[in-house]
Amino acid sequence: MHTRIGRFLAAAASLTTLAVGASSAPAAADDAKEGRVLVVMADFSDRAHPDPAVMRANAIDKYFGPGESLTTYFREVSGGRFTFVPAVKEKVIGPLTLHQKAGCSELREIREDIEAQVTAKGLVRKEDWDNLSIVLPHLNCYWAGMGSVGGRYTWLNTGGNDVSETTIRHEFGHNVGLGHQVRYTCEDGNLVDCGERAAVTGRSPMGGNGAAGLSATQLIRMGWLETAEHQRATGSGTFTLRPLYGAQQGIRALEVPMGKESLVLEYRRPSGSLDKNLDGVYAYRVTEGRYHTAVPIVLSTTERNEGVTELRDDAGKVTVKVTGRTADAATVTVGLDGKAPAAEAAPSTVVAPGETADTTVPQEVTDPAVPTSSTDVDESGTDSAREDGAQEGGAPSAVQSAEAAPSGKVGFTKGLPGQNLAATGSDGTTLTLTAVGGGALLIGGAFVATRHTRRRRAAQGH
């Protein structure tokens, strides 16, 4: 995306979403089935929740309710392997009164204040809770939520005694180590000639789609696919993909090798409460096995939920074509090494979850580095954390080792380096990821779009 266009979209929407990252730590113990969330309502010294009882009930429902909540979402996307649960019997505590006046950038002080208060109440981190989520009164900020990537902390900006379920899912996605999901546009399907990583893509809450599950690459990164569900093509032929969240057994993530890169294909359609607005085969570009930085491929600049039909890499002599779709399966023909795909089933090899595990020692992440205003955010559309491991100015980045780390499970979650400015015109969301503070911390991405702005845009037909 050109700088001028990126800045125009950001200014027009008056929204810049941020979340936060650096070298990351586990959101929960390795192989843990549950992450204990301490949800705390907080009032500023000069601003309070207008109706604490209504806000508390709303938060209990959005975080832990039996309907579409944080708890039910992660239980469903993980296939029952992991979810978030309340750390205390009352589920949401507070409101506790902060010493700070209302503001958009004092997140460290807010976190330290709340953590000191809950510790005084006998609630100790790691002993009594794993994640701390602070529910704030409405702030006139350019973010609706913040979350430390691979960390334990989230900050939620509410409005009208309501907290957005999509924002909660997005921020806790950051906590388990996921960054923003931006996309390449390859309008003619030629993978050698794709546009810049720019706008978000609605494949998951990390791309602004709260009705979607996590993508196949995100499930691989988390270790939430069965061994036989992730397979790598080893020859030309026809493959059958099962819906990513369907009940059918079979391949849910097909990896097509392209030298140091690969494509991961998935079939998405409504399943349970997930993927309500997805229906198609979707592709992700993976570099050197780094599933956590996989980039969605789209064929159109306007339809972010549109699936792929044909893809080709002329240099690598790879072709992919979707040849059929039913409620139960999608058929995909793959050509490797310039060989035409045959009608019969193609050879493949199972990719075991252990091959994608991150065995590096995680580091604790506590607070985000937060700009004081939207004008402080890098909206250049460039990669502020360059792939060569140096920031602009030549200083090595302390966070670049996270880029080299392969994917992993809960408990081995690494942060993401800065990526391009990403914006969509469909929902008014602008996502920005940039390195700040001399490369010591990264703004990893948060979710913004205040509720009144979304409603206004919906009324206008956007």
Side-chain angles (χ1 to χ4, degrees):
M1 175 178 292
H2 295 296
T3 300
R4 184 174 302 172
I5 297 174
R7 287 178 175 162
F8 172 78
L9 288 172
S14 297
L15 302 169
T16 303
T17 47
L18 302 174
V20 180
S23 298
S24 57
D30 185 33
D31 295 327
K33 297 295 184 183
E34 297 177 339
R36 300 164 300 171
V37 182
L38 182 59
V39 181
V40 180
M41 291 171 53
D43 287 340
F44 290 99
S45 61
D46 61 344
R47 183 175 300 177
H49 289 282
D51 192 328
V54 173
M55 185 68 254
R56 183 180 297 106
N58 180 270
I60 289 173
D61 182 59
K62 296 292 181 65
Y63 280 87
F64 309 119
E68 295 185 10
S69 65
L70 177 71
T71 293
T72 58
Y73 180 80
F74 272 90
R75 182 181 294 126
E76 190 168 3
V77 296
S78 71
R81 297 171 181 85
F82 177 80
T83 193
F84 290 100
V85 297
V88 294
K89 182 170 63 175
E90 56 266 49
K91 298 182 180 179
V92 174
I93 67 173
L96 305 181
T97 302
L98 295 159
H99 295 91
Q100 295 80 20
K101 292 184 177 181
C104 300
S105 60
E106 303 300 321
L107 299 190
R108 178 185 296 275
E109 289 79 3
I110 292 171
R111 192 270 300 172
E112 290 177 344
D113 193 340
I114 291 298
E115 194 161 2
Q117 292 192 51
V118 299
T119 300
K121 293 178 178 292
L123 297 170
V124 181
R125 184 170 68 88
K126 295 185 180 179
E127 294 181 13
D128 301 299
W129 56 270
D130 303 303
N131 297 71
L132 176 64
S133 190
I134 303 171
V135 180
L136 299 167
H138 177 67
L139 294 168
N140 294 318
C141 302
Y142 48 90
W143 52 269
M146 291 276 187
S148 52
V149 179
R152 303 176 185 274
Y153 303 98
T154 55
W155 297 255
L156 280 299
N157 184 358
T158 63
N161 296 308
D162 179 72
V163 59
S164 164
E165 178 63 33
T166 295
T167 304
I168 294 173
R169 294 176 182 183
H170 183 102
E171 303 313 327
F172 277 83
H174 286 311
N175 272 190
V176 300
L178 302 176
H180 283 157
Q181 198 172 53
V182 296
R183 69 190 189 228
Y184 282 130
T185 300
C186 312
E187 293 190 54
D188 60 354
N190 186 352
L191 297 170
V192 180
D193 185 22
C194 297
E196 297 180 25
R197 294 175 65 167
V200 294
T201 184
R203 306 288 185 270
S204 77
M206 309 317 294
N209 186 352
L214 298 181
S215 65
T217 53
Q218 291 168 334
L219 294 179
I220 292 169
R221 184 216 189 283
M222 300 304 300
W224 289 344
L225 286 181
E226 297 293 340
T227 297
E229 293 177 336
H230 178 195
Q231 299 205 17
R232 184 176 293 122
T234 58
S236 300
T238 301
F239 294 87
T240 299
L241 288 175
R242 299 299 182 181
L244 188 59
Y245 292 101
Q248 307 89 344
Q249 293 184 339
I251 301 174
R252 304 199 190 281
L254 176 64
E255 191 158 355
V256 180
M258 299 192 310
K260 291 185 177 181
E261 295 188 318
S262 63
L263 281 180
V264 171
L265 305 174
E266 65 181 10
Y267 182 33
R268 307 283 290 275
R269 63 186 323 278
S271 301
S273 66
L274 304 175
D275 291 355
K276 295 176 182 178
N277 51 8
L278 297 180
D279 189 2
V281 174
Y282 302 103
Y284 302 82
R285 196 166 191 158
V286 180
T287 301
E288 296 181 338
R290 297 195 292 268
Y291 300 97
H292 63 295
T293 58
V295 183
I297 300 295
V298 297
L299 306 182
S300 167
T301 58
T302 57
E303 297 296 331
R304 73 175 189 171
N305 288 348
E306 180 183 20
V308 300
T309 51
E310 292 188 55
L311 298 171
R312 70 184 189 279
D313 179 354
D314 295 337
K317 299 180 179 180
V318 173
T319 60
V320 172
K321 183 176 182 179
V322 178
T323 55
R325 287 195 291 131
T326 67
D328 294 327
T331 53
V332 179
T333 58
V334 175
L336 297 180
D337 300 320
K339 297 178 181 178
E344 62 269 13
S348 62
T349 183
V350 169
V351 183
E355 292 185 37
T356 64
D358 181 0
T359 58
T360 57
V361 178
Q363 296 177 327
E364 185 74 36
V365 172
T366 55
D367 303 297
V370 184
T372 57
S373 73
S374 58
T375 58
D376 294 334
V377 178
D378 177 5
E379 295 174 3
S380 65
T382 60
D383 191 344
S384 297
R386 289 157 42 193
E387 293 182 357
D388 59 8
Q391 300 300 313
E392 296 295 341
S397 169
V399 299
Q400 291 304 317
S401 60
E403 169 68 16
S407 63
K409 301 180 181 180
V410 170
F412 291 102
T413 50
K414 301 298 291 183
L416 302 178
Q419 296 176 7
N420 293 348
L421 171 70
T424 69
S426 60
D427 62 2
T429 302
T430 300
L431 303 182
T432 302
L433 299 96
T434 180
V436 297
L441 288 175
L442 291 174
I443 296 175
F447 193 72
V448 296
T450 55
R451 197 162 288 103
H452 70 275
T453 302
R454 288 197 297 267
R455 288 174 177 167
R456 183 176 66 249
R457 291 180 62 83
Q460 293 171 345
H462 293 292

